[in-house]
Amino acid sequence: MNERLDEFVNDPGETMTNPTPDLSGDWDIDPDHSRIGFSAKHAMVATVRGAFTDVNGKLHADLDDPDASFVEIVCRTDSVDTRNAQRDEHLRSDDFFNVEKWPEIVFRSSRIEEIGDNALVVSGDLTIRDVTKAITIPIEFVGAHTDATGALRAGFQGTRRIDRREFGLEWNVPLDTGGVLVSEKITLEFELSAIKREAEAQLTA
């Protein structure tokens, strides 16, 4: 990460009490206020959206040595939720995630770069099923502020389009009118809220 990040504060009211929050340190992804989602075209016309309801992860930010910054995010595949029980069970099967054999989707960063005001590019390895591929994800740093509990909280969001076939998710059905039932291109959606660990917790972690 870049040292300019510590100048960004999401809540203008925070500037009076915490104008330059210290972003360096260890952070935990808040699963109750974070979303890892996806969207795909169904039958070439409708958009189906879903998310993983069991998400955890961690972030280490080092503003003095950006190369030392990293993020790791883990999604439990059996927590996939598209608001349709039959479709969710199909996604959990071997046609897609095979949750019994591959219970997690994992992203581990290798580099975090600032490319503009509030704009980051996170590069790393995404593992789905037994396939690991290097990808880059454009991320917006939404801001940081102290919440009602006194914890320092930071927000990030972004999207990234991938070809699901590259990760072994090849199941499909051709349509009589042309095209396929499920789009091969999937949009991943990231809405992350991270809470900074207390100094004592960082020393013992």
Side-chain angles (χ1 to χ4, degrees):
M1 290 189 180
N2 188 284
E3 55 268 26
R4 285 194 294 161
L5 285 181
D6 64 1
E7 299 172 5
F8 303 142
V9 180
N10 189 40
D11 184 353
E14 282 297 317
T15 58
M16 295 182 65
T17 57
N18 192 12
T20 55
D22 181 12
L23 300 184
S24 288
D26 293 311
W27 301 68
D28 293 306
I29 302 299
D30 178 3
D32 293 330
H33 296 91
S34 298
R35 178 178 179 272
I36 302 294
F38 57 87
S39 62
K41 286 293 184 183
H42 178 265
M44 308 298 291
V45 292
T47 299
V48 172
R49 290 182 170 84
F52 298 95
T53 60
D54 188 341
V55 176
N56 64 81
K58 58 186 178 181
L59 165 67
H60 177 74
D62 191 328
L63 302 186
D64 295 323
D65 182 9
D67 289 339
S69 299
F70 69 86
V71 62
E72 177 180 291
I73 298 173
V74 179
C75 304
R76 294 284 303 183
T77 52
D78 61 3
S79 73
V80 64
D81 181 10
T82 64
R83 299 193 303 175
N84 180 294
Q86 183 177 0
R87 181 167 56 224
D88 293 345
E89 284 305 310
H90 190 197
L91 289 171
R92 295 183 184 110
S93 75
D94 190 42
D95 284 342
F96 290 95
F97 296 121
N98 193 341
V99 301
E100 293 184 2
K101 191 171 184 179
W102 295 293
E104 295 179 340
I105 293 173
V106 180
F107 175 78
R108 292 186 177 93
S109 71
S110 56
R111 183 173 177 80
I112 301 177
E113 303 173 84
E114 185 188 18
I115 59 172
D117 290 349
N118 299 337
L120 308 171
V121 170
V122 181
S123 303
D125 291 328
L126 176 63
T127 300
I128 302 176
R129 290 174 62 108
D130 58 342
V131 179
T132 299
K133 288 190 172 293
I135 67 169
T136 58
I137 306 170
I139 293 290
E140 177 190 359
F141 175 66
V142 179
H145 68 92
T146 302
D147 66 17
T149 69
L152 183 60
R153 184 181 292 268
F156 306 86
Q157 62 185 20
T159 61
R160 175 64 158 87
R161 203 175 188 209
I162 64 171
D163 187 331
R164 63 184 177 88
R165 296 171 301 172
E166 295 181 351
F167 293 90
L169 307 177
E170 299 181 358
W171 183 90
N172 227 327
V173 174
L175 301 176
D176 293 339
T177 55
V180 291
L181 184 64
V182 183
S183 62
E184 294 162 349
K185 299 291 187 179
I186 304 294
T187 299
L188 303 179
E189 303 159 349
F190 306 90
E191 299 168 10
L192 302 175
S193 180
I195 299 174
K196 190 175 183 183
R197 296 181 196 169
E198 296 292 338
E200 294 81 1
Q202 293 188 40
L203 290 174
T204 59

